[in-house]
Amino acid sequence: AGPWLVAGTGAGVSVSTSLAAPTVAAAAGPATSITITVSAKPATGPTPTAYRVDRTSPVAASGVCTITADAAGLGSCADASPTPSVSNTYAVFSRIGASWVAGTSATASATAPAAGTGNFLVSTNNPSPVAGTAVQVTLTARTAANTTPDLTYTGPRTITWSGLANSPNGTAPTYPVTSVTFNASGVSTTTLNLTFAASGSATLTATDSSSGRTGSVSGTVAAGTASVFTFSAPPSVPAGSPTSVALAAKDSLGNAATSYAGSHTITWSGATTTAAGTAPTYPASAVSFNSSGVSTTTLAATFFAAGSNSLVASATSPTVSGSTSISITALTGTKFAWAAAAGVSNTPLGNCYFTCTSGTNNFTFKAKILLTDTYGNPVVNSGGTITVTVTRAGGSFTGSNVVTIANGQSQSNGGGDGATAGQITFNTDSGNYTDTLSAADGGVHTAATATFTH
């Protein structure tokens, strides 16, 4: 927290006129008040018990204050509402018993200070605040000269708070309450909780708009403990292409976690293995971070499965995690794979892709042909009709062994066994044999194969 800068008003000039009785003086008091003092009782007669003070100019007012005299007939009181910046004149009347005695009046005058803009001195219970952690604020009202507490600034006041920034993730700061009570010393007694959202340089301003009183304090707010990783990564890459990524450690509000500098062990997960069985490769697990919480280690991942892939990074001590989504695009169609493959009694084999196998005797194999890239990602045919012929060694076909993949399709949808468009049905031999299949189009695409040993 830094100092609060405040401005003050000049001192008043007092003039006293001594009468036969009593002797009085007036002087500028706190804020814009004027204090009237009886410094000597009337020279003759009984000692007054009190003195009434009337303002005679520039704005006349009777009984602006009453002096309760002590045993020596002395005392003072304050006119709380004089006209600022000009001389105010007063008449002081003695009271003997229950009566005001006009014959013993005296006059005095003083110039009230200009209406000041006394400010606030602010302190917190933590000179090194942390974003997201509450601190307590105390306000002390100061005189316009900014040297002493303003003892006239008491009771309930409405304070407006401003000046603080939202955090990077949009969280707003939590300001103290606006209804604030001040004691006789001009010090706030209300609990004033403040929570910063953004780290870095910050300036808090408190304003009482009804009086023009204001003040600001500046300081530095530290980021909280790292809890979230954010990623820098391309939104889309082709399958099989190494992808550079970077991590940034943030606190829960999105501030750069500067305390995360150093080396950390990162666990990576989340990406998809292709249906053909090609698994992703992840970045290195030992990662260094700089004083801004940003990774400095070269990090590269390779994704093979087309579609949206998640990349998750997590660490412990402290627990930090985060994820990003990267779209992986399929490559050009270069291979055939078996699709919707089913075995005996139509038991699904799933997408066994490039090579299907079975050891069941009297096995019936049903499948369509899928156009894929080198990693087994389905690819839509964007050219003319592709004709695929399935050849066999052993066994027999039901219906045709020729299927077609039409333009705009990735899976065979024409020809085949006559039961389901685009599907071939192959029946293995009985006994101890090895039957094989090959789905090809004359070498334009890599053939899909199948082996059935029984």
Side-chain angles (χ1 to χ4, degrees):
W4 288 77
L5 304 177
V6 294
T9 59
V13 178
S14 64
V15 178
S16 63
T17 303
S18 297
L19 302 179
T23 300
V24 299
T32 56
S33 67
I34 291 178
T35 300
I36 300 91
T37 302
V38 173
S39 57
K41 69 175 185 176
T44 59
T47 300
T49 57
Y51 302 90
R52 189 188 76 217
V53 179
D54 294 349
R55 188 189 320 115
T56 57
S57 69
V59 179
S62 177
V64 293
C65 65
T66 299
I67 299 172
T68 300
D70 60 16
L74 311 179
S76 63
C77 68
D79 177 8
S81 303
T83 301
S85 305
V86 298
S87 178
N88 287 253
T89 302
Y90 301 90
V92 180
F93 298 88
S94 302
R95 185 171 71 185
I96 305 299
S99 302
W100 296 109
V101 184
T104 61
S105 65
T107 61
S109 63
T111 299
T117 54
N119 291 336
F120 293 120
L121 178 68
V122 170
S123 60
T124 69
N125 65 344
N126 185 354
S128 302
V130 176
T133 301
V135 298
Q136 287 192 358
V137 177
T138 300
L139 288 180
T140 300
R142 309 286 276 182
T143 61
N146 193 35
T147 55
T148 58
D150 187 346
L151 306 183
T152 67
Y153 195 81
T154 60
R157 305 282 180 158
T158 298
I159 305 298
T160 300
W161 307 88
S162 62
L164 301 181
N166 291 351
S167 72
N169 69 6
T171 302
T174 302
Y175 287 109
V177 295
T178 58
S179 181
V180 183
T181 299
F182 292 79
N183 63 18
S185 298
V187 178
S188 60
T189 57
T190 305
T191 299
L192 303 176
N193 289 322
L194 167 69
T195 302
F196 297 92
S199 63
S201 298
T203 298
L204 173 68
T205 299
T207 303
D208 178 352
S209 56
S210 65
S211 66
R213 185 182 299 273
T214 189
S216 298
V217 65
S218 297
T220 300
V221 180
T225 301
S227 63
V228 176
F229 285 132
T230 61
F231 286 75
S232 294
S236 178
V237 293
S241 297
T243 304
S244 294
V245 298
L247 291 178
K250 308 286 187 178
D251 67 11
S252 62
L253 300 172
N255 298 299
T258 56
S259 63
Y260 204 68
S263 182
H264 297 270
T265 299
I266 307 300
T267 300
W268 303 92
S269 62
T272 304
T273 296
T274 69
T278 305
T281 60
Y282 290 110
S285 59
V287 182
S288 294
F289 292 79
N290 63 20
S291 59
S292 297
V294 177
S295 62
T296 57
T297 303
T298 299
L299 303 174
T302 305
F303 306 94
F304 300 96
S308 179
N309 277 247
S310 292
L311 180 60
V312 179
S314 57
T316 58
S317 300
T319 299
V320 188
S321 64
S323 65
T324 190
S325 180
I326 301 175
S327 177
I328 306 303
T329 57
L331 306 180
T332 302
T334 58
K335 288 187 174 184
F336 290 137
W338 304 108
V344 63
S345 301
N346 288 328
T347 302
L349 296 178
N351 285 358
C352 51
Y353 274 78
F354 305 130
T355 300
C356 287
T357 60
S358 175
T360 303
N361 196 14
N362 292 326
F363 184 74
T364 299
F365 177 71
K366 298 176 182 288
K368 293 185 177 183
I369 306 302
L370 182 68
L371 178 64
T372 78
D373 65 9
T374 189
Y375 302 115
N377 295 301
V379 176
V380 173
N381 176 20
S382 59
T385 298
I386 299 173
T387 300
V388 184
T389 300
V390 182
T391 59
R392 64 182 176 82
S396 62
F397 290 111
T398 298
S400 175
N401 63 323
V402 178
V403 294
T404 57
I405 304 173
N407 180 46
Q409 302 294 315
S410 60
Q411 185 172 276
S412 56
N413 63 334
D417 61 11
T420 301
Q423 174 181 278
I424 63 101
T425 297
F426 174 76
N427 309 292
T428 65
D429 288 321
S430 299
N432 297 321
Y433 295 97
T434 296
D435 300 329
T436 62
L437 293 178
S438 176
D441 62 348
V444 178
H445 300 89
T446 301
T449 61
T451 300
F452 309 109
T453 301
H454 51 92

